[in-house]
C-alpha cells in the first residue's frame, strides 16, 4: 500500500473519522436536556404533557418535567419567580398572554426567531395570537393550542332523567338548575378558587352583555362599562348561580368538579375545554356520555385561552439546541394533533386537518374561525389573555369577594372593580 494513498485515505479516513467524531460530538452535543415548568397535572392534562415528553425523547433529548400542581397556574408562577430570581430558570415555562411581555421586559427570555422565521410561524398562526407571543417584534414563546373557555359541560344521562335539555340562555340555565335540584342532583359543579369564580363571571359577562360589552368592560376596563346597568345585571346573574352550587365547593380543584359531572353527582360545569380532557381520560364520549354547549348566551362568541411555553436564556449550548428543538416540535403538525387530542383544546396552527378530532373540537374550530371573522372573538381574562397580571389578580379578588360574601353589594363591587382596574 503506498503512503500517499495512505495519507489521503488516512486524511480521508481521519476526515471521515473527524466527521464521525464531529457527528458523535455534535450528536452528543445535540442531545440536550429540556426542563419544562408547567401546571398540567390533572388526568387529561398529564396525558397531554406526556405527549410532549415523548416528542422530545424521540428527538434524543432528555425531558425534565417540573410540574407544579394547582389549576390556573398561580402556584406555578410563584415557583417560577423564585427560580428565576435565584438564577436557575427552567428551559421553558407555561407563560401566557401579557405575562410573556412582562417576563421579556426583565431580559430573561430568549429570541426564537431562528426557529420561527424559517418555519414561517407568522403564516401559520392567527395574527392576534402571533402578536401575543412576541416581544419587540421577536418571538419569545411558542404556542401549543387554543382553548375555548366559554363552555358548559353537561351529563347526558342526568339531564335525560330530569327531562331537560342543555340550556342556551341564562333563563333556561336557571330552569334546568331548578329541575336538577328537584331531581336531587347538584345542579352546577364548581370549584371555589378565584380563577374558577372569574371563569364563571366572564362567561356571564359575555352571555348577558355580549362581546362588545365584554371588551369594553373587561379588556379595556372602561369605568363607565364597569359601573353600567349591564354590569349590574351581570353581577346579579353571577350571584344567583352560586345558589345552585354545593356547600363543599369552596377551594375545590376544577378537575374534581369535572369528576362530579362525569359521575353524575352534578349535572353541569362551566369550564374551559381542558375539562373535556378529563371526560376523555375517563373514557367518556361527547354526545353520548356528556354534552359540550357554549355557555349560556355565548353561542356566537369565543373566549380564547392560548397555552404557550416561553423560553428562557440558557448558557449550555446543548440545552439551548434542545430548547430550539422543543420550540420547533411544539408547532409541528404531529405534535399539534397529538397534544390537543388529549388536552381537550384545538390546534393553534392554522389549517390543521380536524378529522381525528371529536364533535366538540370540530365545533370549537368552526366557531374560532367564525368569531374571529365576526369580531366576537374575545380573550379570556381569567386565563391571563388580556390585562396586566397585577390588574388580573386585583379584579379576580373583587369578584371572588362578591361571590363569597353575603354582605358585598352589587354597587360596592362595581366601585371596587373600577379601583382594581387601576392596579399596578
Ligand atoms: C389554564 C391553562 C389550561 C388548563 C387550566 C386548568 O390556565 O391554560 O391549559 O391547564 O389552566 O389548570
Amino acid at each position: 500500500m503506498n503512503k500517499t494513498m495512505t495519507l489521503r485515505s488516512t486524511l480521508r479516513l481521519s476526515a471521515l473519522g473527524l466527521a464521525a467524531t464531529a457527528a458523535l460530538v455534535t450528536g452528543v452535543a445535540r442531545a440536550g436536556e429540556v426542563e419544562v415548568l408547567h401546571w398540567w397535572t390533572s388526568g387529561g392534562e398529564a396525558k397531554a404533557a406526556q405527549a410532549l415528553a415523548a416528542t422530545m425523547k424521540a428527538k434524543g433529548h432528555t425531558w425534565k418535567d417540573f410540574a407544579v400542581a394547582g389549576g390556573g397556574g398561580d402556584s406555578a408562577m410563584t415557583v417560577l419567580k423564585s427560580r428565576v430570581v435565584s438564577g436557575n430558570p427552567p428551559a421553558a415555562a407555561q407563560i401566557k398572554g401579557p405575562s410573556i411581555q412582562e417576563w421579556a421586559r426583565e431580559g430573561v427570555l430568549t429570541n426564537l426567531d431562528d426557529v420561527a422565521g424559517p418555519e414561517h410561524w407568522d403564516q401559520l398562526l392567527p395574527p392576534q395570537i402571533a402578536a401575543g407571543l412576541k416581544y419587540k417584534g421577536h418571538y419569545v414563546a411558542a404556542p401549543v393550542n387554543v382553548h375555548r373557555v366559554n363552555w358548559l359541560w353537561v351529563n347526558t344521562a342526568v339531564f335525560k332523567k330530569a327531562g331537560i335539555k342543555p340550556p342556551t340562555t341564562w333563563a333556561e340555565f336557571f330552569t334546568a338548575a331548578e329541575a336538577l335540584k328537584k331531581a336531587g342532583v347538584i345542579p352546577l359543579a364548581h370549584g371555589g378558587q378565584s380563577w374558577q369564580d372569574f371563569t364563571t363571571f366572564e362567561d356571564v359577562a359575555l352571555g348577558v352583555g355580549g362581546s362588545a360589552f365584554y371588551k369594553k368592560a373587561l379588556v379595556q376596563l372602561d369605568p363607565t362599562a364597569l359601573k353600567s346597568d349591564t354590569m349590574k345585571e351581570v353581577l346579579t346573574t353571577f350571584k344567583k348561580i352560586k345558589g345552585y352550587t354545593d356547600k363543599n365547593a369552596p377551594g375545590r380543584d376544577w378537575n374534581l368538579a369535572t369528576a362530579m359531572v362525569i359521575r353524575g353527582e352534578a349535572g353541569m360545569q362551566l369550564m374551559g375545554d381542558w375539562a373535556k380532557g378529563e371526560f376523555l381520560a375517563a373514557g367518556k364520549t361527547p354526545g353520548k356520555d356528556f354534552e359540550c354547549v357554549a355557555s349560556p348566551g355565548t353561542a356566537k362568541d369565543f373566549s380564547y385561552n392560548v397555552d404557550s411555553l416561553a423560553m428562557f436564556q440558557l448558557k449550555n449550548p446543548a440545552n439551548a439546541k434542545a430548547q430550539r428543538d422543543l420550540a420547533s416540535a411544539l408547532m409541528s403538525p404531529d405534535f399539534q394533533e397529538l397534544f390537543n387530542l388529549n388536552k381537550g383544546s384545538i390546534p393553534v396552527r392554522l389549517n390543521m386537518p380536524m378529522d381525528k378530532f371529536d364533535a366538540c373540537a370540530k365545533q370549537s374550530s368552526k366557531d374560532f374561525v367564525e368569531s374571529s371573522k365576526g369580531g366576537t372573538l374575545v380573550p379570556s381574562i381569567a386565563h391571563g389573555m388580556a390585562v396586566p397580571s397585577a390588574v388580573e389578580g386585583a379584579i379576580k379578588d373583587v369578584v371572588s369577594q362578591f361571590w363569597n360574601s353575603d354582605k358585598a353589594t352589587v354597587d360596592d363591587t362595581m366601585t371596587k372593580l373600577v379601583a382594581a382596574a387601576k392596579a399596578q
Side-chain angles (χ1 to χ4, degrees), residues 146 148 151 273 276 302 344-355 357-373 377:
V146 177
R148 184 181 195 171
W151 282 115
D273 45 23
K276 191 188 77 177
F302 190 114
S345 39
I346 57 174
V348 64
R349 187 185 164 117
L350 293 171
N351 309 320
M352 283 280 297
M354 294 295 291
D355 47 315
F357 287 84
D358 61 36
C360 302
K362 287 189 174 103
Q363 183 72 44
S364 182
S365 178
K366 179 173 162 292
D367 293 346
F368 181 74
V369 172
E370 279 168 16
S371 62
S372 51
K373 281 194 201 124
L377 179 68

Side-chain angles (χ1 to χ4, degrees), residues 61-331:
H61 297 304
T62 307
W63 166 271
K64 194 169 170 198
D65 197 58
F66 196 99
V68 181
D74 293 350
S75 315
M77 288 305 103
T78 308
V79 172
L80 179 63
K81 283 189 187 108
S82 63
R83 288 201 51 178
V84 174
V85 168
S86 62
N88 174 28
Q94 185 183 359
I95 301 176
K96 312 177 293 171
S99 295
I100 295 173
Q101 285 74 37
E102 289 172 12
W103 280 95
R105 224 170 284 131
E106 301 303 318
V108 293
L109 299 185
T110 187
N111 178 333
L112 291 174
D113 289 354
D114 57 337
V115 175
E119 297 189 5
H120 312 294
W121 289 14
D122 279 347
Q123 285 72 45
L124 291 171
L125 293 170
Q128 79 266 41
I129 290 177
L133 302 164
K134 296 178 179 177
Y135 179 62
K136 293 187 174 168
H138 304 290
Y139 280 98
V140 290
V144 288
N145 63 5
V146 177
H147 268 299
R148 184 181 195 171
V149 176
N150 57 315
W151 282 115
L152 178 71
W153 307 94
V154 159
N155 179 298
T156 311
V158 166
F159 263 57
K160 198 150 180 266
K161 194 154 165 260
I164 50 177
K165 287 198 169 20
T168 62
T169 66
W170 285 108
E172 288 175 10
F173 173 91
F174 291 117
T175 306
E178 274 303 320
L180 291 166
K181 218 177 193 171
K182 279 208 187 69
V185 176
I186 295 167
L188 187 73
H190 182 72
Q193 297 168 343
S194 72
W195 72 271
Q196 295 190 62
D197 299 341
F198 205 95
T199 299
T200 298
F201 173 73
E202 68 180 34
D203 281 347
V204 178
L206 193 57
V208 166
S211 57
F213 168 78
Y214 181 102
K215 290 176 195 169
K216 208 143 182 52
L218 301 185
V219 180
Q220 294 150 29
L221 302 165
D222 173 71
T224 319
L226 288 171
K227 295 196 80 167
S228 63
D229 288 345
T230 307
M231 184 53 84
K232 271 201 182 97
E233 193 188 339
V234 168
L235 286 165
T236 308
T237 305
F238 174 62
K239 190 72 181 208
K240 188 176 173 190
I241 295 170
K242 186 168 182 223
Y244 295 98
T245 63
D246 66 302
K247 64 179 181 352
N248 301 319
R252 178 187 285 138
D253 283 335
W254 69 271
N255 51 315
L256 301 182
T258 310
M260 291 165 66
V261 180
I262 291 172
R263 290 193 300 265
E265 286 164 25
M268 311 181 267
Q269 182 188 25
L270 287 162
M271 190 49 68
D273 45 23
W274 43 92
K276 191 188 77 177
E278 300 306 295
F279 283 98
L280 299 182
K284 303 299 179 186
T285 307
K288 178 172 154 288
D289 305 305
F290 68 97
E291 312 301 323
C292 51
V293 291
S295 59
T298 71
K300 293 245 170 309
D301 308 305
F302 190 114
S303 68
Y304 69 85
N305 167 32
V306 171
D307 281 309
S308 47
L309 297 185
M311 308 290 176
F312 286 81
Q313 288 168 10
L314 300 176
K315 300 189 186 71
N316 175 311
N319 294 353
K321 173 71 179 83
Q323 186 188 51
R324 258 91 188 122
D325 285 354
L326 172 65
S328 171
L330 294 176
M331 273 290 286

